[in-house]
């Protein structure tokens, strides 16, 4: 059985993110997409529009001196425009090491990602790492 198109879209996005392929990422998102980052750290908040989202992704790499890594573990879909990714993140920053599970709730309209709600396994750990 073929994988659901929304799961394929999310997988393609993760693959592009890992490669640093901003052109592909831009093509997967609606122009006015929003990525919501949890917590109180320097990269927390709402990033509205492709340019703001891609700049935040750039800063993930910059703030971690290129050590930010994400491994997609699973994609769940509901067939009604939502997908949930489960992933594992590692990174080093200012003498701190992040090794944590997380996920993203995607809202998809047509074939474009319109909203990304990031979730982390331990908000206190994430806040400390990004403070």
């Amino acid at each position: 059985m073929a994988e659901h198109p929304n799961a394929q879209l999310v997988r393609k996005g993760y693959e592009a993110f890992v490669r640093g392929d901003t052109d592909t990422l831009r093509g997967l998102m609606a122009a006015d997409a929003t990525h919501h980052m949890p917590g109180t750290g320097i990269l927390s908040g709402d990033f509205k529009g492709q340019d703001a989202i891609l700049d935040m992704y750039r800063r993930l790499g910059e703030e971690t001196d290129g050590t930010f890594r994400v491994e997609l573990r699973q994609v769940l879909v509901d067939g009604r425009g939502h997908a949930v990714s489960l992933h594992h993140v590692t990174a080093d920053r200012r003498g701190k090491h992040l090794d944590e599970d997380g996920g993203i709730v995607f809202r998809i309209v047509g074939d474009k990602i319109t909203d990304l709600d990031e979730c982390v396994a331990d908000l206190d750990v994430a806040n400390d790492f990004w403070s």
Side-chain angles (χ1 to χ4, degrees), residues 41-122:
I42 61 166
L43 294 177
S44 297
D46 298 332
F47 298 85
K48 178 85 169 161
Q50 293 174 345
D51 291 339
I53 293 170
L54 294 174
D55 187 58
M56 184 266 292
Y57 294 167
R58 177 193 59 77
R59 289 185 60 206
L60 287 171
E62 185 178 273
E63 287 289 332
T64 62
D65 293 324
T67 65
F68 188 91
R69 299 285 180 266
V70 63
E71 177 188 343
L72 179 62
R73 299 267 171 95
Q74 191 170 11
V75 181
L76 311 172
V77 297
D78 70 355
R80 298 178 291 116
H82 299 94
V84 177
S85 66
L86 304 174
H87 59 244
H88 188 78
V89 172
T90 58
D92 295 299
R93 179 175 183 268
R94 299 183 181 176
K96 298 175 187 175
H97 181 69
L98 182 65
D99 190 345
E100 179 174 59
D101 291 324
I104 301 174
V105 178
F106 294 85
R107 285 170 190 79
I108 300 166
V109 176
D111 63 349
K112 299 288 185 189
I113 297 166
T114 62
D115 205 65
L116 304 91
D117 284 313
E118 188 107 10
C119 299
V120 295
D122 189 325

